[in-house]
Amino acid sequence: MTVSEPDASFSEANRLHRMSAGHRLTSIPTGLPRTERVVGLLGATPLDAVGLDSWLAAMGYRSRVVTGTELRSDPKPPAVVITRDPSALDAGMARHLRHVRFIVVTDRAVAGYPPSVRIVADSSSAPGDVEGLVGAVLGRAPRRAPVRLTDRERDVMTTYVMGATVSETASKHFIAEATVRTHYQRVTRR
């Protein structure tokens, strides 16, 4: 793993805090304090955002594009923020949002960030490193088992999802329109 200085994996967010209630101590699990269980994409171009969003969705995580201004003013920012541009994240923002885990994927040497910022080298191991860091903060997303399709369902659904209408799909595969709808319903139900 090519990640800068390993620390206790966001353990401060998973600790139990104790509050004094008279003579008694009450444990309050904090989980991820004041954050939304999504991945923020900071300074992402539209093309990068679409690619990262698809990749994160395939792993079972939700994401949204954020700006520096939104992060500073958001009462419930994303729990994890990924950026490819180190200049998009200043050290002051990282200190202000200390309960947010920042991941900077870059090929440049970067220093001077607090421990909540993880620097990942932009290399072939970066996807696995980022997935591990996101999983450490948000927990491993349950991966759904792939839907098994028959060869016929795969052929019909491929034509349909590529933009053909129900009637065009039916005529191409020599089946009734109701059969196309039935295939679609069965596949989406699985």
Side-chain angles (χ1 to χ4, degrees), residues 7 9 12 15 38 75 90 103 105 183:
D7 65 359
S9 177
E12 64 272 11
R15 289 190 189 132
V38 299
D90 59 73
I103 302 171
V105 181
H183 281 319

Side-chain angles (χ1 to χ4, degrees), residues 65-128:
V65 175
V66 294
T67 64
T69 306
E70 289 172 344
L71 282 175
R72 284 185 178 92
S73 63
D74 194 345
K76 198 167 182 182
V80 179
V81 175
I82 299 173
T83 185
R84 294 185 52 83
D85 181 12
S87 64
L89 172 67
D90 59 73
M93 180 191 314
R95 279 197 252 336
H96 174 69
L97 298 166
R98 64 187 171 278
H99 52 278
V100 174
R101 172 70 68 184
F102 292 92
I103 302 171
V104 179
V105 181
T106 184
D107 55 359
R108 295 182 261 170
V110 181
Y113 287 107
S116 64
V117 178
R118 309 300 299 182
I119 309 299
V120 176
D122 193 0
S123 66
S124 60
S125 65

Side-chain angles (χ1 to χ4, degrees), residues 113-177:
Y113 287 107
S116 64
V117 178
R118 309 300 299 182
I119 309 299
V120 176
D122 193 0
S123 66
S124 60
S125 65
D129 295 346
V130 171
E131 182 177 359
L133 290 169
V134 170
V137 175
L138 296 179
R140 301 285 178 216
R143 291 203 177 199
R144 293 182 7 196
V147 176
R148 295 187 184 267
L149 303 176
T150 66
D151 291 339
R152 187 65 170 164
E153 286 173 333
R154 185 175 296 110
D155 292 341
V156 171
M157 288 293 93
T158 300
T159 304
Y160 184 65
V161 298
M162 293 304 285
T165 64
V166 172
S167 59
E168 291 169 343
T169 303
S171 64
K172 179 177 180 181
H173 293 283
F174 305 105
I175 56 177
E177 290 180 19

Side-chain angles (χ1 to χ4, degrees), residues 39-53:
V39 178
L41 308 174
L42 178 63
T45 66
L47 184 59
D48 282 345
V50 168
L52 282 170
D53 182 58

